[in-house]
Amino acid sequence: IPLRLVGSEMCIRDSFKGDYKKYATNTDERVQDHGITISMTESYCDGANLFVSYVIESQKKFTEYSDNQIFQNQIGYEGITKIKSDDKIYSLNDCGAAGVSGKYVDENTFAGSQYFDLSGKEFPDQFQLEIYIYKVTLIAENVKNPNISIWGQWKFSIPIQVNKEDVTMYEVNEWNEGYSIDEVIVTPIITTIKTTHPDIYLSLIHI
């Protein structure tokens, strides 16, 4: 289960699932550099979470980049992700694994997704998503082997419209043994449980 901490709040999200294609918007943005084409194929924002789908294609087989086995469910990347709305710029948090989680659909193609949030804040109803990727990383299956880095410039800028259709929020505010479940947010794609533990950082210090 992906886990992140926001102040004294802990947000626990279940796996990325649901009827994604019904609610997502096709984007079809493609950028090619250094033999790698990254396509941003779909996006969906429910007001609390932003989901982006990618297809990453290589002119040569991914297995040709290294003699070692590469991790099959993730391609890492480094870059800058932000949104712009009403002349304001917001940085995004990458929830879960850094990079794109998915699978290789053939020897030259990886398809996956990534999701972000705004540190517990609501997204603006409309905004411009800007992603600048400057390094793609093929992750070694064996941690003793080096990862493979492919440097380049892949820049995306797409408009996003928040879709709150079929999003339900439940106020709970129940405490038990120092913890609380504050709120449960159910969307067509993901369920978020917000819980508070005021002493979580103090407890970590004493460990």
Side-chain angles (χ1 to χ4, degrees):
I1 296 176
L3 175 69
R4 77 176 173 84
L5 301 175
V6 182
S8 63
E9 284 190 343
M10 180 185 300
C11 292
I12 305 173
R13 290 175 168 82
D14 68 2
S15 58
F16 180 38
K17 60 184 182 180
D19 192 2
Y20 179 65
K21 289 188 176 296
K22 177 181 176 180
Y23 297 90
T25 299
N26 292 329
T27 53
D28 197 25
E29 291 279 333
R30 297 167 56 90
V31 181
Q32 182 178 10
D33 196 14
H34 283 71
I36 298 291
T37 300
I38 301 179
S39 301
M40 185 183 296
T41 57
E42 293 173 314
S43 63
Y44 167 68
C45 184
D46 59 22
N49 306 282
L50 170 64
F51 305 84
V52 180
S53 296
Y54 296 94
V55 172
I56 302 174
E57 299 168 286
S58 173
Q59 290 180 351
K60 64 180 184 180
K61 296 177 181 179
F62 280 107
T63 52
E64 295 180 18
Y65 285 95
S66 175
D67 293 331
N68 301 312
Q69 183 72 25
I70 57 176
F71 190 60
Q72 295 296 299
N73 301 116
Q74 183 184 352
I75 287 183
Y77 74 73
E78 292 184 20
I80 300 169
T81 306
K82 59 188 178 182
I83 66 170
K84 290 183 177 180
S85 177
D86 298 328
D87 297 325
K88 296 180 180 179
I89 299 175
Y90 305 87
S91 296
L92 293 178
N93 290 325
D94 176 4
C95 298
V100 180
S101 298
K103 63 180 180 180
Y104 289 90
V105 296
D106 59 40
E107 294 178 324
N108 300 79
T109 309
F110 182 92
S113 61
Q114 189 176 26
Y115 68 97
F116 307 89
D117 73 4
L118 275 179
S119 298
K121 299 178 182 178
E122 287 286 311
F123 280 88
D125 289 339
Q126 295 179 329
F127 57 88
Q128 195 76 13
L129 171 64
E130 298 192 352
I131 297 179
Y132 169 42
I133 298 171
Y134 52 80
K135 184 173 75 171
V136 172
T137 302
L138 305 182
I139 302 169
E141 181 75 36
N142 188 330
V143 295
K144 296 181 180 180
N145 294 327
N147 297 330
I148 305 300
S149 296
I150 305 166
W151 297 85
Q153 295 189 42
W154 299 269
K155 296 182 179 180
F156 302 89
S157 180
I158 61 169
I160 302 290
Q161 174 72 50
V162 170
N163 180 359
K164 294 186 178 181
E165 181 183 358
D166 297 331
V167 175
T168 305
M169 302 175 65
Y170 300 94
E171 295 288 342
V172 181
N173 296 320
E174 292 288 340
W175 285 82
N176 185 18
E177 297 183 358
Y179 294 85
S180 77
I181 295 178
D182 303 326
E183 186 178 41
V184 177
I185 304 172
V186 180
T187 81
I189 312 302
I190 201 166
T191 298
T192 302
I193 301 173
K194 292 188 176 181
T195 177
T196 301
H197 179 4
D199 299 324
I200 188 166
Y201 295 112
L202 184 61
S203 298
L204 291 174
I205 292 172
H206 288 315
I207 292 176

